[in-house]
Amino acid sequence: MIDAFDPAWRHDPYQAYRTLREAGLFVDGPLGTSLVPGYAESAAILADPVWSHAEESDLLHPDSDVELPGSFLWMEPPDHTRLRGLVSRAFTPRTIEATRPTARRVVDGLLDAALAAGEVDLIEDFAYPLPLTMICDLLGVPASEHVAVRRMSAGIARGLDPDALLSPAELAARTAAVNEFREFFGGLVEARRADPRDDLISALGQVYAEGDRLTTTELLGTLLILVVAGHETTVNLIGNGVLALMRDPGQLDALRKDPDLALPAVEEMLRLDPPAQVTTRTARGEVTVSGRTFTPGEAVIVMIGSANRDPRAFTEPDRLRIDRYAGGEKVNRHLALGMGLHYCLGAPLVRLEVGEALRGIATRLSSITPLADPPPYRPNIVVRGMSELPVRVTG
Ligand code: HEM
């Protein structure tokens, strides 16, 4: 079996993905799954509701002594529809647009501090605080508690990897983080129910109080997915994206000359080095994909990072071309934010906050250079990214 999950590949899994794509459309994977490395097959599977995401928890976390609270990411209709519907209004492009001034202010403040310091860790000092502040603000978590939320979220994000790959200490840290999360957010929901404000926790607390549309587990599961998905992934998109820009100074110059390329650049960075590298699906009925028939219960690992570099779907797939999605040519959608029923709820927020981050970097920094390349990566597979990215900046 090709071990595309070998930690040795963490800084660059794309070589292994190429070998995988050349090995076939479907390749035997771990835990009795088939790996799906190509674009057409991955997109077909994600788009077809015959493939369920509800079994992922049993597949990856069979021995879990603490259930990651049920979130709609791992549900199917009708529960998925009901729960996603409760929060989707908070994430429309128009609602999210209202947060742009906050994103700009946070980016400016972080760049001021980076310029004053001269050398910073882009992950710790820039990529973490921006999405953390944005999601905590939307939810209504007080600024004094952001650090605590970050700690819980990191412990849970590591725990999204298959249980078999986690050390006893990491499993224990996940249990502790989930318990802390339950206690902290349970308390916050109570506080907002007693004293509602204009935030998402107050709105969910209200729905919860009204009766039978939301159970306690569902409420906490919804908050958990918003915090973890809304934060850890975005950190890594900023890290992976800025590293790709620093490695290709011509592209960084192009962005400086035309900061309006920030938005298409976000899409291209999502395609080139997506933070969520893999997802799973299980067939609920018999289904044929590219000539292969799957029977009910068969599971696949959709290799998002590989599909996004499939030469049958993208020209020059290994190159960062920040104008790829600028509208000049017809180009396939990337799969970095998923596709179909579970398409990323936070997509408008990702585009806004990472777009603002890139715009700030392009317009306010005259240089940004990595102090170590490749930088060290965290061991995480499902949500992959660097542990640090030291850079030198000048204004
Ligand atoms: C760069 C940042 C992000 C990436 C790469 C990302 C990626 C993804 C992907 C791939 C999925 C689909 C998973 C699957 O189908 O198996 C997804 C779903 C989801 N994302 Fe994101 N995401 C990002 C940011 C966010 C943000 C900022 C939020 C929220 C505030 C968010 C909330 C969600 C939720 C709630 C779902 C589940 C949707 C559903 O099941 O209907 N994500 N995301």
Side-chain angles (χ1 to χ4, degrees), residues 32-266:
T33 62
S34 298
L35 303 178
V36 186
Y39 179 85
E41 295 70 34
S42 297
I45 289 171
L46 292 180
D48 185 346
V50 76
W51 290 97
S52 160
H53 198 211
E55 284 74 20
E56 181 168 289
S57 186
D58 287 346
L59 186 71
L60 300 187
H61 312 296
D63 308 323
S64 164
D65 58 347
V66 44
E67 246 196 286
L68 298 167
S71 123
F72 59 88
L73 172 61
W74 296 292
M75 290 180 192
E76 293 302 319
D79 289 333
H80 173 267
T81 321
R82 172 174 54 90
L83 294 172
R84 182 168 168 135
L86 290 177
V87 287
S88 58
R89 242 171 304 144
F91 289 94
T92 61
R94 194 189 303 173
T95 323
I96 291 301
E97 185 56 38
T99 68
R100 191 177 296 279
T102 310
R104 244 174 222 175
R105 184 169 38 77
V106 176
V107 166
D108 269 337
L110 294 170
L111 289 177
D112 287 343
L115 283 167
E119 284 182 13
V120 287
D121 174 4
L122 194 89
I123 300 295
E124 183 65 29
D125 302 322
F126 188 76
Y128 254 109
L130 173 62
L132 181 66
T133 309
M134 297 298 288
I135 194 68
C136 283
D137 261 25
L138 276 169
L139 289 170
V141 177
S144 56
E145 305 291 351
H146 289 189
V147 175
V149 171
R150 174 183 164 177
R151 190 180 57 240
M152 297 171 218
S153 145
I156 297 170
R158 176 71 187 114
L160 294 179
D161 277 359
D163 287 2
L165 299 181
L166 300 179
S167 68
E170 286 166 333
L171 286 169
R174 178 177 74 190
T175 307
V178 171
N179 286 337
E180 197 186 350
F181 188 97
R182 281 200 182 116
E183 198 166 314
F184 174 79
F185 279 94
L188 199 54
V189 170
E190 284 308 309
R192 290 291 183 274
R193 279 182 54 197
D195 178 16
R197 306 202 183 151
D198 184 17
D199 58 40
L200 198 52
I201 292 185
S202 300
L204 284 174
Q206 179 68 30
V207 173
Y208 177 68
E210 278 166 7
D212 55 4
R213 278 197 295 156
L214 189 62
T215 67
T216 312
T217 308
E218 289 170 346
L219 172 61
L220 290 171
T222 302
L223 292 174
L224 182 129
I225 201 63
L226 292 178
V227 169
V228 177
H231 175 209
E232 298 295 329
T233 46
T234 315
V235 172
N236 296 322
L237 178 61
I238 296 172
N240 298 353
V242 175
L243 180 63
L245 267 186
M246 292 191 294
R247 283 175 175 169
D248 198 333
Q251 294 292 292
L252 183 52
D253 278 348
L255 184 60
R256 283 208 181 96
K257 284 198 187 95
D258 182 4
D260 284 346
L261 282 174
L263 210 52
V266 173

Side-chain angles (χ1 to χ4, degrees), residues 46 53 72-74 80 84 91 135 225-226 229-231 233-234 237 270 275-276 279-281 304 335-339 341-347 349-350 353:
L46 292 180
H53 198 211
F72 59 88
L73 172 61
W74 296 292
H80 173 267
R84 182 168 168 135
F91 289 94
I135 194 68
I225 201 63
L226 292 178
H231 175 209
T233 46
T234 315
L237 178 61
L270 280 163
T279 186
T280 72
R281 289 295 186 271
I304 293 173
L335 302 183
L337 299 173
M339 190 176 256
L341 210 60
H342 292 284
Y343 182 71
C344 180
L345 178 80
L349 179 57
V350 174
E353 60 191 1

